[in-house]
Amino acid sequence: MKKSSFVAMMLGTVSGVVFALGMCMALIEEWNSFKAGVIFGTVGIVLGIITLLIWRKMEHKNPVKISGKAIFTVALGIIGALTLGVGMCFCMVWNKMVIGVLLGLVGIVLLLLLIPVTKGIKE
């Protein structure tokens, strides 16, 4: 295993655990730690971004260029994941199966659209 892959794996794991712990702290009401959870979640996101930057530097890759396509791709992924998650909440939490299934399907279609957006359609 290359050193850069090992470092990225370790930092990525730490950032993922900190983010997940922060989200649990913020969303589980019994813990009464919403503010601390938001702080932990934010630290996890920042550590994830730092991990990406460190890995790219160790691999001698060019910095990430922000373009309109990149912003659209990220926005499509976020909207698709949130739509799928809201559909699941409608089904499992609020017992509204029809609208939940429909929203879930819309979310899945949005996430599937990421493939042609990122890879393109070739013959």
Side-chain angles (χ1 to χ4, degrees), residues 13-25 37 40-45:
T13 301
V14 169
S15 67
V17 168
V18 170
F19 176 75
L21 179 62
M23 291 300 97
C24 288
M25 290 169 66
F40 264 70
T42 304
V43 168
I45 290 172

Side-chain angles (χ1 to χ4, degrees), residues 70-93:
I71 293 171
F72 175 73
T73 304
V74 169
L76 181 63
I78 291 170
I79 292 168
L82 287 175
T83 305
L84 177 60
V86 169
M88 291 174 62
C89 286
F90 268 97
C91 288
M92 298 188 313
V93 176

Side-chain angles (χ1 to χ4, degrees), residues 35-120:
K35 289 181 184 178
V38 170
I39 293 170
F40 264 70
T42 304
V43 168
I45 290 172
V46 170
L47 283 175
I49 293 170
I50 291 171
T51 300
L52 176 67
L53 296 174
I54 290 172
W55 177 79
R56 288 190 68 85
K57 181 142 179 98
M58 290 179 79
E59 289 288 319
H60 305 292
K61 294 186 182 260
N62 294 329
V64 177
K65 294 180 183 175
I66 299 176
S67 65
K69 182 180 177 183
I71 293 171
F72 175 73
T73 304
V74 169
L76 181 63
I78 291 170
I79 292 168
L82 287 175
T83 305
L84 177 60
V86 169
M88 291 174 62
C89 286
F90 268 97
C91 288
M92 298 188 313
V93 176
W94 299 311
N95 291 324
K96 306 234 186 242
M97 291 297 290
V98 175
I99 191 166
V101 169
L102 291 175
L103 276 174
L105 287 174
V106 169
I108 291 170
V109 168
L110 289 174
L111 291 173
L112 285 174
L113 286 175
L114 285 171
I115 297 169
V117 167
T118 56
K119 298 292 183 182

